[in-house]
Amino acid sequence: GNSVTQMEGPVTLSEEAFLTINCTYTATGYPSLFWYVQYPGEGLQLLLKATKADDKGSNKGFEATYRKETTSFHLEKGSVQVSDSAVYFCALTRGNQGGKLIFGQGTELSVKP
Amino acid sequence: EPEVTQTPSHQVTQMGQEVILRCVPISNHLYFYWYRQILGQKVEFLVSFYNNEISEKSEIFDDQFSVERPDGSNFTLKIRSTKLEDSAMYFCASSGGTLYEQYFGPGTRLTVT
């Protein structure tokens, strides 16, 4: 079946450090891939997306590239800020299954000043 | 910017009681979803809804759950007889298509005592 696996957290970084959160997926066909962010006490917000192989999604300094050969969609940011502290969820959807999102387990990021 | 809204933000109920969680999706969206997140765990798909019928449901979505779009704007999730294990954050989401991003509401925290 379809699934998403993320690196375990929590991840603790100092401000301005480089961030990578690994995400790999298992899916038949060509899923769309997403990163969602959940700030403390809030709901899920779409951070970025990619809908086909080699697409790069980017937003707010975050980037992720859809790598079909490695079935990965790793999230990166060159210089994190304290305000980036949140839980990050990688997700996929297969359009022919009604569009449900399948989420990874989430990775908590804590950025210290 | 249009957004998904949910009411109430927090619902406390006794075991065995019925609850109805309400959502107003983005007005031109066609696909509607409910997800839940038990505290500290991953976000889990419950049900998708399109063209006034359920398009897919998970094994969590048993006979105690039902969804309805009663008036063309609201989208509701009913739990007929709540159990302690139904305590979770429930998120509503909507999208314009099955491969498009889903926009999430802020969630309803359900506490069953």
Side-chain angles (χ1 to χ4, degrees):
Chain A
N2 302 322
S3 66
V4 176
T5 302
Q6 290 179 235
M7 65 185 284
E8 289 195 18
V11 174
T12 303
L13 296 173
S14 297
E15 207 164 23
E16 299 183 2
F18 184 85
L19 168 71
T20 300
I21 299 178
N22 289 337
C23 171
T24 57
Y25 68 89
T26 301
T28 55
Y30 304 95
S32 291
L33 302 174
F34 305 87
W35 277 99
Y36 280 85
V37 59
Q38 185 178 36
Y39 296 103
E42 297 186 14
L44 295 160
Q45 299 176 27
L46 178 68
L47 183 58
L48 53 83
K49 67 174 182 177
T51 57
K52 61 182 187 297
D54 300 324
D55 265 3
K56 178 187 281 189
S58 61
N59 186 26
K60 300 181 182 178
F62 290 89
E63 293 182 341
T65 301
Y66 188 142
R67 301 282 188 205
K68 194 171 189 307
E69 64 276 13
T70 54
T71 62
S72 65
F73 193 55
H74 304 321
L75 182 69
E76 296 181 335
K77 187 175 185 183
S79 176
V80 293
Q81 306 300 312
V82 172
S83 57
D84 293 327
S85 298
V87 181
Y88 292 82
F89 291 92
C90 185
L92 69 81
T93 187
R94 292 271 291 117
N96 63 354
Q97 293 177 346
K100 72 177 180 186
L101 282 168
I102 296 168
F103 286 89
Q105 66 269 39
T107 302
E108 182 180 358
L109 170 66
S110 177
V111 181
K112 308 296 185 188
Chain B
E1 186 175 330
E3 59 181 14
V4 177
T5 59
Q6 290 185 243
T7 54
S9 57
H10 190 190
Q11 174 94 44
V12 181
T13 190
Q14 289 189 327
M15 197 167 49
Q17 295 297 304
E18 174 183 286
V19 295
I20 297 176
L21 310 183
R22 291 184 168 79
C23 168
V24 179
I26 293 172
S27 62
N28 61 348
H29 282 181
L30 302 174
Y31 295 82
F32 313 109
Y33 308 86
W34 284 101
Y35 296 84
R36 78 171 186 191
Q37 184 183 31
I38 294 171
L39 187 63
Q41 298 186 24
K42 71 161 68 174
V43 179
E44 302 173 290
F45 167 78
L46 291 178
V47 65
S48 59
F49 192 85
Y50 168 72
N51 199 25
N52 279 322
E53 60 183 24
I54 291 173
S55 47
E56 188 177 3
K57 59 184 180 179
S58 73
E59 58 192 24
I60 302 168
F61 194 90
D62 61 21
D63 292 345
Q64 293 301 310
F65 291 86
S66 63
V67 289
E68 194 178 32
R69 188 156 160 80
D71 56 12
S73 63
N74 290 284
F75 180 50
T76 61
L77 174 69
K78 181 193 290 186
I79 310 175
R80 286 188 186 81
S81 177
T82 50
K83 302 190 271 285
L84 293 176
E85 54 265 38
D86 293 328
S87 294
M89 182 74 90
Y90 288 79
F91 292 107
C92 173
S94 69
S95 75
T98 57
L99 285 174
Y100 298 171
E101 60 265 35
Q102 293 178 24
Y103 292 85
F104 282 75
T108 293
R109 179 166 298 285
L110 176 65
T111 302
V112 183
T113 61

